[in-house]
Amino acid sequence: MQHRFDAIVVGAGPAGASTAYNLAKAGFNVLMIERGRKPGSKNMFGGRVYKAPVEKAFDDLEKAPIHRWVVKERISMVYDDEALTIEYDGKGRHSFTTYLTDLSSWMADKAVSAGAKLVTEVVVDKLLVEDGWVKGIVSGDEKLYADVVIDCEGVNRLVLERSGFVDKLRPENVALGFKEVLKLSKEDVNKFFGLEDDEGLAWVFMGEYTDGLPGGGFLYTNKDSVSLGLVIYLGHAVKELEKHVYDLIERVRLSRIFNKYFRDARVMEYSAHMIPADVKALRPKRLVYNGLVIAGDAGGFLLNLGYTYRGVDFAAYTGYLAAKAVSEASGDYSQESLSRYEKYVDDSFVGRDLKKFSGVHDLYENRRLFKEYPMLAINLMRRLFNLEYESTKVKDAFNESRKGVIGLTTLLKDLWGVYRKL
Amino acid sequence: MSEQVKLKKIRLEDMLNNNVWDVDPRPHITLDTSKCRDCEYKPCIRLCPVGCYVMHGDDVLFSYEGCVECGTCRVVCPEEAITWEYPRSGRGIHFRFS
């Protein structure tokens, strides 16, 4: 039996649901194929979504399952169970926390309400390629045909790999994100983090919790829970990580700095997901082929600046651009015609951000950021604040903290690198 | 927050008891353990976040039931000893609060 659709979207995550929603609104007969029991059940993220791009992709965002609006940002350097923290206590409500499982369901529901069809519990094995054109998808013994396929399968892009459109993922291309979701009362979340009503906190930290390896940690406040997790870049971890990653996250939860929040907490879930890390290496040679468009994590669209992670909004927005390009192609889904999508992406904030910050990934190769600098920061604080009789001059405290840890020329070089790339 | 409750490490098995799976009787991952013996670093042992890979003497023991389908093992395995599929028919991990 031959089924035929105007468009097939692989994956009902933020990119896929956004594509399907916007195509359905444009009158397309679109099918979303999701491998999970329901949209979102295979999705996981750190915890925060930037509003503006998602609002562009979806109407009625105010009705989405939003937990808290982030008003407080914390960045910490951690060494020897002590932290130096910068806190920005702002008025802005530019990003929100949520469970991605719920947000993905909401997005897919929007697509279905707009007329998209959704099948769940179906794994797409590969793309159906005939005579240099993507003609549909293959799932088990079944083939489904469409005029155009939009691949939104996520970072673990087995479909694109198997169909020969991208190379196999390499450890240095990706990071592992994993987190514990810990139940607290809403009152305790507010009390512990100095929040009111639906205000939220986003806290990132770097230093000893990743054992000196590139990566970092995060804590996001949900309505009545906290997401506590770590990100480890896999490139170095393959050879250098000595502990089990689970021991690393447990060490965070039990640490002097964090354990006070979790004395009455109950674990709700423990989850993990890969994250695009080397965005340049992950970008497929082309984002479009005859009959194919690639959006979301599958295209490597993620920005990690160390103090912000942006994946969900990039996914929703590239899905929106994919739908725009497909509907403007007026039935001509050749690579040449679809190449308008590549232009839309590169001209959008996603393309501009990824270009502007293309050097940031190299910063992650500088191991001193994860070990020596947190050590220097804490040693400096100790000399300035842990006083008994005599006070220390700042310059002396700094030089004493630096000596034997980081040479002055190295320090200046590193500062220049961070200044230039960030 | 004032009273001092000493938090204890949660065993990974107990941590995972909070998750929901619908385990497929057919494994979605297979491991050719003969290739593991020559593997110098065995990164799967430390990097699988749910501990699907454990050492037993000189051998790598593998179980797929607790897999959260992150794909890390297939990426970090230097020996290409892992065949990796997504579980069929909606089986496998079912996240609810992530």
Side-chain angles (χ1 to χ4, degrees):
Chain A
M1 189 171 72
Q2 279 207 2
H3 301 275
R4 193 167 188 96
F5 295 90
D6 295 340
I8 288 177
V9 178
V10 180
S18 166
T19 307
Y21 174 62
N22 286 288
L23 279 178
K25 279 210 303 187
F28 277 68
N29 176 22
V30 51
L31 174 72
M32 267 187 295
I33 306 181
E34 165 58 41
R35 68 183 182 88
R37 207 185 288 168
K38 63 177 203 163
S41 63
K42 304 290 187 181
N43 280 146
M44 179 269 184
F45 80 145
R48 174 239 292 265
V49 181
Y50 287 85
K51 172 184 73 168
V54 180
E55 215 166 26
K56 182 88 180 171
F58 291 93
D59 298 327
D60 311 318
L61 184 62
E62 69 281 357
K63 293 183 190 146
I66 290 167
H67 281 216
R68 290 170 180 270
W69 290 95
V70 175
V71 297
K72 228 176 237 199
E73 308 272 356
R74 273 185 201 168
I75 306 170
S76 295
M77 286 204 272
V78 183
Y79 169 71
D80 193 22
D81 225 2
E82 295 189 6
L84 171 60
T85 303
I86 300 173
E87 177 172 308
Y88 168 52
D89 188 349
K91 292 179 282 192
R93 295 162 78 90
H94 298 278
S95 62
F96 59 87
T97 62
T98 182
Y99 298 140
L100 188 57
T101 41
D102 290 342
L103 185 67
S104 298
S105 282
W106 178 83
M107 288 173 165
D109 283 348
K110 294 283 289 179
V112 170
S113 309
K117 292 179 186 66
L118 168 69
V119 292
T120 56
E121 308 190 357
V122 172
V123 177
V124 173
D125 293 314
K126 58 184 181 198
L127 299 169
L128 183 61
V129 187
E130 290 171 4
D131 309 321
W133 279 76
V134 174
K135 297 271 175 80
I137 61 96
V138 181
S139 173
D141 299 330
E142 197 158 5
K143 293 173 178 170
L144 288 174
Y145 288 87
D147 295 335
V148 61
V149 174
I150 301 91
D151 187 304
C152 305
E153 62 178 311
V155 61
N156 193 18
R157 47 194 188 187
L158 289 170
V159 175
L160 287 177
E161 273 183 28
R162 282 193 193 130
S163 313
F165 288 96
V166 296
D167 295 333
K168 190 173 180 292
L169 289 174
R170 300 165 58 85
E172 53 274 28
N173 301 153
V174 287
L176 168 65
F178 51 110
K179 69 175 181 182
E180 298 177 1
V181 180
L182 299 153
K183 176 93 176 68
L184 298 169
S185 68
K186 186 182 174 190
E187 293 69 34
D188 275 351
V189 173
N190 286 350
K191 193 172 75 187
F192 292 167
F193 301 104
L195 304 166
E196 292 193 314
D197 307 322
D198 66 343
E199 290 177 347
L201 162 94
W203 189 351
V204 295
F205 35 92
M206 53 197 280
E208 69 180 353
Y209 295 141
T210 56
D211 260 1
L213 289 171
F218 58 82
L219 181 155
Y220 294 102
T221 56
N222 306 312
K223 191 174 289 166
D224 50 9
S225 72
V226 161
S227 298
L228 181 73
L230 287 174
V231 173
I232 306 266
Y233 282 69
L234 290 179
H236 294 282
V238 166
K239 291 185 185 170
E240 294 173 46
L241 183 68
E242 287 171 3
K243 298 188 179 69
H244 191 276
V245 287
Y246 176 66
D247 295 336
L248 298 184
I249 185 62
E250 275 294 90
R251 187 171 65 183
V252 180
R253 188 177 62 89
L254 299 174
S255 69
R256 190 193 65 86
I257 297 161
F258 288 99
N259 86 80
K260 52 181 167 281
Y261 306 124
F262 303 124
R263 285 175 194 156
D264 297 320
R266 177 175 66 74
V267 180
M268 297 173 75
E269 197 158 73
Y270 173 64
S271 51
H273 209 278
M274 280 196 293
I275 307 170
D278 188 345
V279 168
K280 262 183 290 183
L282 281 174
R283 177 150 168 166
K285 234 172 255 124
R286 297 290 304 266
L287 297 174
V288 294
Y289 291 90
N290 292 328
L292 175 68
V293 181
I294 302 166
D297 274 9
F301 299 118
L302 184 131
L303 184 69
N304 169 14
L305 296 182
Y307 54 94
T308 57
Y309 289 90
R310 301 183 68 171
V312 172
D313 63 325
F314 276 32
Y317 199 80
T318 53
Y320 160 78
L321 293 178
K324 178 174 150 77
V326 165
S327 53
E328 284 173 7
S330 346
D332 176 4
Y333 303 123
S334 64
Q335 185 175 45
E336 197 188 341
S337 165
L338 289 174
S339 67
R340 74 188 75 219
Y341 169 67
E342 293 174 320
K343 187 172 157 25
Y344 291 156
V345 169
D346 290 334
D347 291 347
S348 73
F349 80 96
V350 173
R352 289 197 305 274
D353 267 10
L354 293 179
K355 191 164 170 226
K356 192 165 38 179
F357 293 108
S358 62
V360 169
H361 184 67
D362 303 336
L363 283 180
Y364 276 78
E365 287 300 305
N366 184 346
R367 307 290 291 279
R368 291 183 290 278
L369 285 177
F370 306 95
K371 194 167 180 195
E372 278 80 2
Y373 285 106
M375 186 196 285
L376 186 149
I378 296 303
N379 281 334
L380 175 64
M381 292 303 113
R382 285 174 173 169
R383 288 190 164 88
L384 292 180
F385 293 109
N386 293 357
L387 299 174
E388 287 183 356
Y389 299 101
E390 204 177 319
S391 298
T392 320
K393 286 195 85 168
V394 174
K395 89 171 161 55
D396 293 336
F398 179 75
N399 282 323
E400 283 162 27
S401 307
R402 184 186 59 74
K403 228 177 283 165
V405 179
I406 299 166
L408 200 55
T409 43
T410 310
L411 181 108
L412 291 173
K413 219 175 70 194
D414 287 347
L415 269 179
W416 176 242
V418 171
Y419 173 77
R420 252 185 38 228
K421 286 169 176 153
L422 218 54
Chain B
M1 212 154 67
S2 52
E3 86 234 54
Q4 288 290 316
V5 187
K6 185 81 182 136
L7 280 184
K8 281 202 199 85
K9 189 179 167 191
I10 300 172
R11 293 188 316 158
L12 182 53
E13 304 89 286
D14 296 332
M15 176 61 75
L16 293 175
N17 273 335
N18 299 291
N19 290 2
V20 172
W21 284 268
D22 176 7
V23 176
D24 194 331
R26 297 156 296 182
H28 63 288
I29 300 173
T30 52
L31 177 69
D32 180 355
T33 47
S34 69
K35 291 180 174 171
C36 302
R37 291 217 159 193
D38 297 327
C39 181
E40 189 182 353
Y41 295 106
K42 297 184 176 55
C44 56
I45 305 278
R46 281 156 287 119
L47 284 168
C48 169
V50 291
C52 283
Y53 301 82
V54 291
M55 288 305 291
H56 182 75
D58 290 338
D59 293 318
V60 177
L61 278 189
F62 167 71
S63 59
Y64 70 97
E65 289 85 351
C67 175
V68 290
E69 298 156 38
C70 68
T72 301
C73 58
R74 85 176 186 97
V75 175
V76 300
C77 176
E79 304 294 327
E80 304 205 353
I82 294 168
T83 1
W84 212 101
E85 306 270 342
Y86 279 122
R88 318 295 299 187
S89 318
R91 300 291 181 92
I93 187 68
H94 184 77
F95 288 138
R96 298 159 299 152
F97 312 109
S98 287

